[in-house]
Amino acid sequence: FPCGDPRGQYVLALSGVSCDARTPTNDECTTALTVPSGATAFDSTFATNSALPLDAVCDEGFGTAIVRDLWFRWTAPLTGIGTASVCNAAAFDTRLAVYAGCQGALLGCSDDAPGCSLTSEVRFPVTAGTSYLVRIGGYTGGGTGTLTMSAAPALPNDECSGAVTITNGDTAFDTTNATDSAPALRSEEH
């Protein structure tokens, strides 16, 4: 043997998974964990990969892989803008998607949200009393983190129909809870 010390002694290092390691109960959409508004700790280390592929619109330049994903069900307490966030609150490179149901429409997704390093945050329109499904997974693996769910009232002038009249001079505004209006502007309109 070419390695070991001069006396022929060797070190054997073993590693493994705890015998009580289990797949989390919210490993699939149909068994999503119901969470309240606020913070919920999670651990996706032993989660499996769900069969539902991440939609191509979620590709922010690094593909659409989402591995070791967990599912959460949250009910909006008011009508407005919901936020699902693991922004700077996860110990791994996250991906996050929000759906209207297990077979429902994709409402938003995030890979590396602005100001969140390699973690994610999604804002999406919500209706009071409606449940939404949040999927948290990793780019290459799972880990621990904290999901924070919240909602804020919709802005009265979030759509053209609610436009606010302004006059000459300075007008203060805040777009924090604004949503993208449809239809999107064509490139020649920018």
Side-chain angles (χ1 to χ4, degrees):
F1 291 91
C3 54
D5 69 17
R7 297 171 296 184
Q9 295 179 342
Y10 299 87
V11 175
L12 176 62
L14 299 174
S15 65
V17 175
S18 170
C19 291
D20 62 351
R22 293 187 178 93
T23 303
T25 57
N26 58 327
D27 192 48
E28 295 299 335
C29 183
T30 55
T31 58
L33 176 68
T34 299
V35 295
S37 293
T40 301
F42 66 87
D43 185 347
S44 65
T45 304
F46 299 110
T48 63
N49 301 342
S50 296
L52 180 67
L54 194 57
D55 195 286
V57 301
C58 299
D59 186 352
E60 295 177 12
F62 299 99
T64 58
I66 183 166
V67 301
R68 299 202 182 274
D69 54 339
L70 295 175
W71 293 82
F72 301 87
R73 179 180 311 278
W74 173 74
T75 301
L78 52 82
T79 296
I81 304 302
T83 301
S85 181
V86 292
C87 183
N88 298 318
F92 63 106
D93 187 351
T94 64
R95 291 205 163 160
L96 192 147
V98 179
Y99 301 89
C102 285
Q103 302 299 318
L106 174 72
L107 302 175
C109 51
S110 172
D111 184 4
D112 303 333
C116 297
S117 188
L118 297 176
T119 56
S120 313
E121 182 172 274
V122 174
R123 292 177 191 266
F124 55 102
V126 297
T127 302
T130 301
S131 292
Y132 300 91
L133 287 160
V134 178
R135 181 184 188 189
I136 300 170
Y139 174 60
T140 58
T144 59
T146 301
L147 167 65
T148 300
M149 297 300 304
S150 61
L155 299 173
N157 60 334
D158 192 42
E159 296 296 334
C160 184
S161 60
V164 174
T165 302
I166 59 173
T167 59
N168 289 338
D170 295 337
T171 302
F173 64 92
D174 181 354
T175 61
T176 302
N177 291 318
T179 60
D180 293 334
S181 297
L185 295 175
R186 294 185 310 269
S187 61
E188 63 269 12
E189 293 179 308
H190 289 262

